[in-house]
Amino acid sequence: MRGSAQQYLRRAVSSREEPSIWNEAAQKLRGKKPLMRPRIIPVLLLDSRRRLVKTRHFGDEVYVGDPFNVIRIFNEKEVDEICVLDINASIEGRRPDAGFISELASECFMPLSYGGGVRSVADATPIFAVGVEKIVLGRAGADAVAVRALADSFGSQAVAVCIDCRRINNDWRVALDRGRAVTDVDPVTRASAVEQAGAGEIILQNVDRDGERRGYDAELISSVSAAVDVPVVALGGAGELSHLEDGLRAGASAVASGSVFVFIGRLRAVLITYPSQPDIVALLEQVGAS
């Protein structure tokens, strides 16, 4: 464990637990996915050099910091959980680096999800062994056999599938390989399929709004959330707290973003931030009252 991590003695709260501060506000939002309170999740993107970047439409990468330093800041801010994605691993044919992931996990005192190059039980086993709570599947999420094997080995709650979506001729389609390969599958069909295969969570990512900071697509979130019983995490488009509120109103079980937590202002100056607990409770109460 790194020296700085030893300063933190508090236990990470699992995404499947509910600290008492949230209970009253979260209770108002309970629907058909009753076991989890709404979560607010920073998503950190690793490039091929293990630097944190933020993308726009899955391109136009902007450097935002060292992953270890950023995780330390989020430790201090007591975020709900963190999702780290190696955005080039699958395209470059790289498997997960368990040593590097172990270093990340040793610094992270909140639930950690990791994605990038995970294809099989053999890939995932060392990741879970170093303390990662959840794996995120991209291209491998289209393989029902792989999803089922991972769910059977580690539990559905430990397997999330990221569904990247693009709008083509007014219809939503699932995209692969950082949005470059557009399939003929719609996101509702894919979401239902990965749920049936055993995935315990769906990260619904809007490629067209990635980095735009103008809000989620509520219709997309609503359609997918209504089609499945597993939690849906909205990702792609948020730029401010009100957008997170909109995502929860649209039916997401959790809302995720990179821009909200790493950029400030019109010029996208880098500032690592996270709303305070009172601000989040107020946000949940606003959603519950609507």
Side-chain angles (χ1 to χ4, degrees):
M1 180 179 293
R2 292 170 176 256
S4 62
Q6 295 174 348
Q7 300 172 17
Y8 299 94
L9 300 179
R10 67 182 180 85
R11 182 178 65 88
V13 177
S14 167
S15 59
R16 295 181 295 280
E17 297 178 24
E18 296 188 3
S20 59
I21 188 173
W22 303 101
N23 288 351
E24 184 176 351
Q27 183 67 35
K28 299 176 183 178
L29 293 172
R30 295 183 185 276
K32 67 175 184 177
K33 306 176 182 71
L35 297 180
M36 299 174 70
R37 66 167 175 80
R39 293 163 289 146
I40 298 177
I41 305 168
V43 175
L44 305 180
L45 307 180
L46 290 168
D47 70 6
S48 301
R49 291 182 284 175
R50 295 175 176 169
R51 308 179 312 163
L52 288 184
V53 297
K54 182 67 193 80
T55 59
R56 179 179 287 173
H57 303 162
F58 283 22
D60 188 23
E61 296 176 10
V62 175
Y63 174 73
V64 298
D66 171 78
F68 297 102
N69 289 336
V70 172
I71 284 175
R72 291 181 194 122
I73 294 172
F74 281 131
N75 279 334
E76 295 173 355
K77 296 182 179 299
E78 301 186 4
V79 307
D80 287 343
E81 62 184 84
I82 259 184
C83 180
V84 176
L85 303 176
D86 183 332
I87 58 177
N88 293 318
S90 293
I91 291 176
E92 296 174 356
R94 288 187 286 106
R95 296 300 173 97
D97 183 336
F100 174 71
I101 298 169
S102 178
E103 289 188 81
L104 286 179
S106 73
E107 289 286 358
C108 191
F109 282 79
M110 71 287 290
L112 172 63
S113 300
Y114 187 88
V118 181
R119 305 176 188 175
S120 65
V121 171
D123 291 333
T125 298
I127 296 176
F128 287 118
V130 299
V132 171
E133 182 173 87
K134 194 183 305 176
I135 55 165
V136 180
L137 305 179
R139 173 174 274 281
D143 183 348
V145 174
V147 175
R148 173 52 62 190
L150 288 160
D152 287 346
S153 296
F154 305 108
S156 291
Q157 82 290 338
V159 180
V161 172
C162 187
I163 301 177
D164 297 334
C165 306
R166 299 190 67 179
R167 189 182 284 277
I168 306 296
N169 297 325
N170 293 322
D171 293 319
W172 286 105
R173 292 291 179 260
V174 174
L176 303 173
D177 298 335
R178 294 193 64 181
R180 300 170 188 172
V182 179
T183 73
D184 59 359
V185 180
D186 68 88
V188 169
T189 299
R190 174 58 53 81
S192 298
V194 300
E195 179 184 32
Q196 184 67 27
E201 183 169 272
I202 292 166
I203 301 175
L204 183 65
Q205 178 152 229
N206 187 334
V207 180
D208 298 333
R209 295 203 182 190
D210 173 52
E212 288 289 334
R213 303 175 69 197
R214 57 189 175 92
Y216 301 113
D217 187 296
E219 184 179 350
L220 173 64
I221 295 168
S222 296
S223 62
V224 174
S225 296
V228 296
D229 290 326
V230 296
V232 172
V233 182
L235 177 61
E240 55 191 57
L241 282 182
S242 65
H243 295 155
L244 305 181
E245 184 179 322
D246 293 340
L248 294 174
R249 280 202 182 100
S253 299
V255 283
S257 177
S259 296
V260 170
F261 310 115
V262 301
F263 288 145
I264 186 170
R266 180 176 55 84
L267 298 179
R268 301 202 299 174
V270 175
L271 177 66
I272 308 303
T273 187
Y274 191 78
S276 67
Q277 289 189 351
D279 285 342
I280 296 175
V281 170
L283 182 153
L284 297 181
E285 288 177 340
Q286 285 284 346
V287 176
S290 64

